[in-house]
C-alpha cells in the first residue's frame, strides 16, 4: 500500500498497533486486484484473448478473470479486434452503460490505431471515440504482453486519485443512435 | 466457340456485343437494354436452363476503358439440371449507372444487387429494397469505385479520425 517514512515513524511511535495510510491508496489497492472485465470481441484478436484468459496464461492470477457479459456489471472494457465505423456506435453505447469507475484496455493493433486497415470501414484507433487507459499493440498481441499491459493498468489504478472520477460519457456522440 | 455462346448468338443476335471462351468457361457480353430478356430466356429455355444465379458483382474499369463502358456488371450462372456454367457481363456507362434489376428472374439477386449499389453505386431499377447492405445509410460515396479516395474519412466518427 506504500507508506511514507513519516507514516512509518508514527506507526512505530504508536507501538505498531495502528496502520496509517490514505483512503485513495486503500481503494486503489482493492480495485487493482478485482477487475471485472467486459470482453468486446469483434475479430481475430479474440483468439488471443481466449488464450490469455484461459488456464495456461490465467488472467485470474491478476484478479481479472471473470468476464461479465453485461456492461453494467463490468469495470474494465477489453476492446478486442477491429472496430468498424458501423460498430463504433455500439462500442460507444457499451462504454456509456458501464458504471464508474471504469477503464478501457485497447487490445491489438486494430484497436490502438486501425492496424493494417487504413480504409473506409475501420475506426483509426478507438481513442477517437473513447478514453483509453492501456494500449497493447501486436497483431495479435501475445499473452505475455497482454499480462504486461494488465500489470501496467494495475499500477495506474493503484495510484489513481478519487478526484479522477467520474470521468463522464465518451467524448464522441454518434450522429446516429443504434 | 462454345455451345452456349452459339446459342446466345442465335437467340439474341445483335444484343451480344462479344463472347469468348477460356478453358471451357464461356462468357458473353450483352447489351444493357437486352439484359433482362436475355436473363429470363437463359433461365427458362430448355437448352440453357440456368436455374441458379451463383453470383452477381461489378467491376470498375476507371481509367482503362472509355467512360461509356466504365463499369461492368457480371452475372455467374449455373444450371443444376445441365451442370453447365455461363458468365454474362454488361457494360454500364459512368453517366447513367442504372440497370434493370434481376430480382424478378432470380430472387437470389436481391442482396447481391444491394451490395453492388453499396460498393459501386450502380442502381438496380425495379429492385424492391434498393438500399445499402454492408455499409450504413449515412456513408458518403461508394468505396470500391476506383476514384474513391483511399484517404477519405467518413463523417460518422468525427474530424480527428
Ligand atoms: S490486430 Fe491483428 S489479430 Fe488483432 S483484430 Fe486486428 S488484424 Fe486481427
Amino acid at each position: 500500500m506504500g507508506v511514507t517514512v513519516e507514516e512509518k515513524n508514527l506507526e512505530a511511535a504508536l507501538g505498531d498497533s495502528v496502520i496509517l495510510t490514505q483512503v485513495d491508496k486503500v481503494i486503489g489497492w482493492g480495485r487493482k486486484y478485482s477487475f471485472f472485465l467486459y470482453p468486446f470481441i469483434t475479430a481475430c484478436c479474440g483468439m488471443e484473448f481466449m488464450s490469455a484468459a484461459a488456464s495456461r496464461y490465467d488472467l485470474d492470477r491478476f484478479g481479472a478473470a471473470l468476464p461479465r457479459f453485461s456492461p453494467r456489471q463490468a469495470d474494465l472494457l477489453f476492446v478486442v479486434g477491429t472496430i468498424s465505423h458501423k460498430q463504433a456506435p455500439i462500442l460507444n453505447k457499451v462504454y456509456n452503460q458501464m458504471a464508474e469507475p471504469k477503464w478501457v484496455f485497447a487490445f491489438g493493433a486494430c484497436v490502438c490505431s486501425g492496424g493494417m486497415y487504413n480504409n473506409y470501414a475501420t475506426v483509426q484507433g478507438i481513442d477517437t471515440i473513447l478514453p483509453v487507459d492501456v494500449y497493447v499493440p501486436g497483431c495479435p498481441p501475445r499473452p505475455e504482453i497482454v499480462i504486461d499491459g494488465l500489470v501496467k493498468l494495475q499500477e495506474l489504478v493503484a495510484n489513481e486519485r478519487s478526484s479522477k472520477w467520474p470521468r463522464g460519457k465518451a467524448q464522441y456522440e454518434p450522429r446516429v443512435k443504434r | 466457340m462454345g455451345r452456349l455462346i452459339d446459342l446466345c448468338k442465335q437467340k439474341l443476335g445483335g444484343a451480344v456485343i462479344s463472347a469468348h471462351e477460356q478453358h471451357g468457361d464461356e462468357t458473353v457480353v450483352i447489351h444493357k437494354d437486352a439484359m433482362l430478356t436475355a436473363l429470363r430466356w437463359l433461365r427458362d429455355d430448355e437448352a440453357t436452363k440456368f436455374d441458379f444465379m451463383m453470383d452477381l458483382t461489378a467491376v470498375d474499369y476507371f481509367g482503362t476503358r472509355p467512360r461509356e463502358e466504365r463499369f461492368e456488371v457480371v452475372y455467374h450462372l449455373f444450371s443444376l439440371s445441365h451442370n453447365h456454367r455461363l458468365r454474362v457481363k454488361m457494360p454500364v456507362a459512368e453517366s447513367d449507372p442504372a440497370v434493370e434489376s434481376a430480382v424478378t428472374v432470380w430472387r437470389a439477386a436481391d442482396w447481391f444487387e444491394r451490395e453492388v449499389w453499396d460498393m459501386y453505386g450502380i442502381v438496380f431499377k425495379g429492385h424492391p429494397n434498393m438500399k445499402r447492405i454492408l455499409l450504413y445509410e449515412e456513408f458518403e460515396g461508394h468505396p470500391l469505385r476506383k476514384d474513391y479516395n483511399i484517404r477519405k474519412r467518413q463523417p460518422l466518427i468525427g474530424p480527428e479520425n
Side-chain angles (χ1 to χ4, degrees):
Chain A
M1 252 178 273
V3 281
T4 59
V5 179
E6 297 92 81
E7 281 168 354
K8 269 266 176 277
N9 292 344
L10 201 52
E11 280 175 9
L14 292 168
D16 279 335
S17 58
V18 290
I19 293 175
L20 294 175
T21 182
Q22 290 157 358
V23 177
D24 276 356
K25 281 187 181 155
V26 180
I27 291 177
W29 177 77
R31 280 176 179 164
K32 83 177 211 189
Y33 292 122
S34 58
F35 288 127
F36 282 75
L37 52 102
Y38 179 91
F40 190 93
I41 296 183
T42 56
C44 18
C45 268
M47 292 296 152
E48 211 58 41
F49 172 77
M50 291 172 213
S51 161
S55 45
R56 189 177 178 102
Y57 290 96
D58 196 12
L59 284 186
D60 205 7
R61 292 179 292 154
F62 308 92
L66 192 61
R68 309 306 307 188
F69 295 106
S70 160
R72 302 200 187 275
Q73 297 171 348
D75 58 5
L76 177 56
L77 178 60
F78 257 70
V79 188
V80 182
T82 326
I83 301 296
S84 64
H85 283 44
K86 212 171 170 180
Q87 192 73 242
I90 303 165
L91 176 62
N92 184 273
K93 192 177 213 169
V94 166
Y95 177 82
N96 284 341
Q97 280 178 343
M98 288 169 64
E100 307 240 5
K102 54 186 169 188
W103 300 274
V104 179
F105 193 105
F107 189 116
C110 283
V111 180
C112 294
S113 66
M116 56 178 161
Y117 305 108
N118 183 2
N119 61 18
Y120 61 91
T122 307
V123 175
Q124 300 299 299
I126 59 157
D127 49 8
T128 57
I129 51 179
L130 36 98
V132 175
D133 295 287
V134 198
Y135 297 84
V136 173
C139 181
R142 292 186 54 86
E144 289 89 337
I145 193 177
V146 175
I147 290 168
D148 188 47
L150 189 72
V151 171
K152 290 221 160 48
L153 180 69
Q154 288 185 334
E155 282 165 20
L156 182 114
V157 169
N159 295 317
E160 254 168 17
R161 307 297 299 259
S162 53
S163 54
K164 185 177 166 189
W165 306 104
R167 196 146 66 167
K169 289 176 86 172
Q171 69 259 35
Y172 141 81
E173 188 63 40
R175 288 201 218 160
V176 192
K177 298 267 190 271
R178 286 202 173 87
Chain B
M1 278 292 180
R3 194 180 58 89
L4 289 166
I5 292 179
D6 291 341
L7 271 175
C8 288
K9 281 186 172 161
Q10 263 173 34
K11 174 73 188 176
L12 305 166
V16 178
I17 298 169
S18 64
H20 61 265
E21 186 187 344
Q22 179 80 34
H23 300 301
D25 288 333
E26 295 165 71
T27 304
V28 283
V29 183
I30 295 179
H31 197 273
K32 191 170 116 177
D33 298 338
M35 198 57 175
L36 204 58
T37 3
L39 291 177
R40 198 163 275 131
W41 167 73
L42 283 167
R43 182 193 64 179
D44 293 337
D45 194 89
E46 274 308 315
T48 49
K49 223 159 181 39
F50 285 107
D51 41 17
F52 182 18
M53 195 211 69
M54 296 176 57
D55 186 27
L56 189 167
T57 184
V59 188
D60 184 1
Y61 289 101
F62 182 72
T64 61
R65 284 191 186 180
R67 304 201 140 196
E68 308 79 61
E69 46 190 65
R70 171 175 167 185
F71 299 107
E72 207 163 50
V73 174
V74 188
Y75 301 82
H76 289 124
L77 310 180
F78 179 61
S79 169
L80 290 164
S81 37
H82 294 313
N83 190 23
H84 60 200
R85 292 165 203 274
L86 180 67
R87 179 183 297 126
V88 185
K89 307 205 272 189
M90 74 170 137
V92 179
E94 180 180 336
S95 54
D96 178 28
V99 299
E100 295 292 334
S101 166
V103 173
T104 49
V105 188
W106 296 282
R107 284 289 281 132
D110 187 333
W111 285 10
F112 288 115
E113 289 181 351
R114 283 175 64 189
E115 189 195 8
V116 170
W117 156 246
D118 204 355
M119 295 293 160
Y120 296 92
I122 296 172
V123 180
F124 289 83
K125 289 182 284 187
H127 189 285
N129 185 23
M130 189 83 270
K131 58 177 197 184
R132 289 187 185 273
I133 186 168
L134 295 171
L135 299 166
Y136 40 94
E137 282 305 314
E138 299 77 20
F139 194 92
E140 289 171 5
H142 300 280
L144 291 197
R145 285 191 173 197
K146 295 280 183 251
D147 52 358
Y148 181 93
N149 182 358
I150 54 163
R151 301 263 161 237
K152 183 175 160 77
R153 294 285 170 243
Q154 289 295 323
L156 196 62
I157 293 304
E160 67 272 76
N161 187 33

